[in-house]
Amino acid sequence: MKVEVVHLKRYFGATRAVDDVSFSFESGQIFGFVGPNGAGKTTTMRILATLDEPTFGNAYINGRSVVEEPEEARRMIGFMPDHLPTHSDMSVREYLDFFARAYGIKSPRRRRVIESIEEFTGLERLRDKMLVALSKGMKQRVSLARALVHDPPMLIMDEPAAGLDPRARVELRELLKVLADQGKAIFISSHILTELAEICDGAVIIERGRILRAGTITGIMESLSEGKHRTMMIRTLGDPEDLHRQLLQMAHVADARISGLNVEADIDGDEETCCDLLAELLRLEFRIIEFHQQQADLEQVFMDVTTGEVQ
């Protein structure tokens, strides 16, 4: 299954909340949606979930248009909003049963489906508890369970980890990995970028309604390093001070600094330049035991490509 967003635009008066956004991803992939507050993330997700209509453009879930065929698209989407509506008169089981009925799942299969989802999300012991009495973490589990009740091939998750304690975030992350392994396409927004980088196959970075970067995590990082220096992490059996002094005298080394037992060197050049540098260090009889490129993480990429402006 493939998810495609094609030249999506959504205007509110003079404000361009989503301005010509295009990207795609497939089954089994987890794609992060990253951007500052007010960047257009929730608006884009609402359009994908058929809860809003674009001003221009379209989005396709396995070839089904969310604009022209919303009913067909909805059958393939599980939407997890940034908060669970609180119903003071409903238990967890009643809530899930309501949505299972809404998706046309008939008894006795409905009971088996709900029990299976409760087990998967760890809600077995809470099925009779009222929604209003649940903690934030448990409400997020219920929200995920509701999104899974009709077994959709795609999940759209708006800030699912917001407000969760560390244990709940780890548990949510593990659940998402299992769902991706089952073949679901997962589109998830979050401000916890270090955790997104651990589970995401790719990312879409957006600011002021426009895409700044989109693609696999590796591809985005490689595109940012093109034409710029790359940072090499070098370690020697000798004194790092000696290596540091030597590097500062070498061609193509823009800067170097000691970091613990290692020396970080900013190299102006490509991979061949790095190979030549390593060969020169060995010729100078430095006993190199570590020489690798330091990869930027998603948080660093986000800081590099965004300006922090809001609409």
Side-chain angles (χ1 to χ4, degrees):
M1 189 196 77
K2 188 171 185 178
V3 179
E4 297 177 276
V5 176
V6 183
H7 298 298
L8 204 64
K9 300 180 182 181
R10 182 65 169 100
Y11 303 158
F12 296 96
T15 301
R16 298 189 174 193
V18 180
D19 192 6
D20 200 21
V21 166
S22 298
F23 59 88
S24 66
F25 58 100
E26 300 180 357
S27 297
Q29 292 186 320
I30 302 177
F31 249 63
F33 200 23
V34 180
N37 291 329
K41 301 190 300 297
T42 295
T43 301
T44 302
M45 288 185 149
R46 285 179 57 81
I47 292 172
L48 272 175
T50 73
L51 299 175
D52 195 3
E53 293 187 355
T55 307
F56 301 102
N58 212 327
Y60 301 90
I61 314 296
N62 204 27
R64 298 289 189 177
S65 166
V66 300
V67 177
E68 298 161 5
E69 305 169 276
E71 291 296 332
E72 293 298 323
R74 284 182 195 129
R75 298 180 190 277
M76 296 183 282
I77 297 168
F79 180 53
M80 185 175 171
D82 56 357
H83 69 281
L84 179 74
T86 300
H87 301 276
S88 59
D89 60 344
M90 293 185 75
S91 68
V92 170
R93 170 58 66 87
E94 290 169 339
Y95 185 73
L96 296 179
D97 183 74
F98 172 83
F99 279 93
R101 290 172 184 268
Y103 280 109
I105 303 174
K106 301 185 181 300
S107 184
R109 175 173 171 262
R110 184 170 65 248
R111 184 180 182 87
R112 294 195 301 270
V113 166
I114 293 173
E115 287 177 349
S116 175
I117 291 173
E118 287 174 341
E119 180 181 0
F120 177 74
T121 54
L123 292 172
E124 309 103 301
R125 297 182 180 180
L126 300 174
R127 59 170 61 108
D128 296 320
K129 196 161 185 175
M130 305 305 285
L131 292 177
V132 71
L134 297 177
S135 67
K136 173 71 174 179
M138 290 301 104
K139 285 181 179 178
Q140 292 296 76
R141 285 177 177 268
V142 174
S143 190
L144 176 60
R146 181 200 58 194
L148 293 171
V149 77
H150 59 301
D151 193 23
M154 178 189 180
L155 287 176
I156 302 172
M157 311 177 77
D158 192 2
E159 296 287 347
L164 298 187
D165 61 48
R167 175 177 291 276
R169 289 204 302 269
V170 170
E171 291 171 348
L172 176 63
R173 192 165 68 233
E174 293 306 314
L175 287 177
L176 294 183
K177 288 179 181 178
V178 172
L179 290 168
D181 289 341
Q182 292 176 355
K184 296 191 185 299
I186 301 175
F187 192 45
I188 175 173
S189 71
S190 178
H191 287 140
I192 308 172
L193 302 186
T194 52
E195 294 194 354
L196 269 188
E198 290 181 17
I199 62 170
C200 286
D201 303 289
V204 178
I205 303 177
I206 188 174
E207 186 172 44
R208 296 188 58 137
R210 284 186 168 273
I211 284 187
L212 303 181
R213 290 289 190 284
T216 64
I217 299 293
T218 302
I220 290 173
M221 291 178 178
E222 287 178 351
S223 71
L224 288 173
S225 66
E226 289 178 1
K228 298 182 179 180
H229 67 251
R230 57 189 69 209
T231 300
M232 304 302 297
M233 188 70 72
I234 309 171
R235 185 177 177 186
T236 178
L237 282 178
D239 187 346
E241 288 281 0
D242 295 337
L243 177 61
H244 179 241
R245 282 193 295 269
Q246 181 60 51
L247 285 168
L248 289 175
Q249 299 174 33
M250 300 179 75
H252 304 296
V253 177
D255 192 18
R257 55 207 162 270
I258 296 175
S259 176
L261 297 175
N262 301 322
V263 179
E264 296 177 3
D266 296 334
I267 312 301
D268 288 329
D270 55 16
E271 292 181 346
E272 187 173 341
T273 304
C274 294
C275 289
D276 292 341
L277 174 67
L278 176 58
E280 179 64 12
L281 290 173
L282 293 174
R283 189 187 69 78
L284 293 170
E285 298 186 351
F286 282 96
R287 302 173 70 188
I288 305 298
I289 59 173
E290 189 173 345
F291 188 93
H292 65 87
Q293 183 172 343
Q294 186 178 35
Q295 294 289 347
D297 59 27
L298 189 56
E299 197 168 62
Q300 289 174 311
V301 171
F302 178 77
M303 295 303 293
D304 284 343
V305 302
T306 61
T307 63
E309 295 181 17
V310 296
Q311 301 192 79

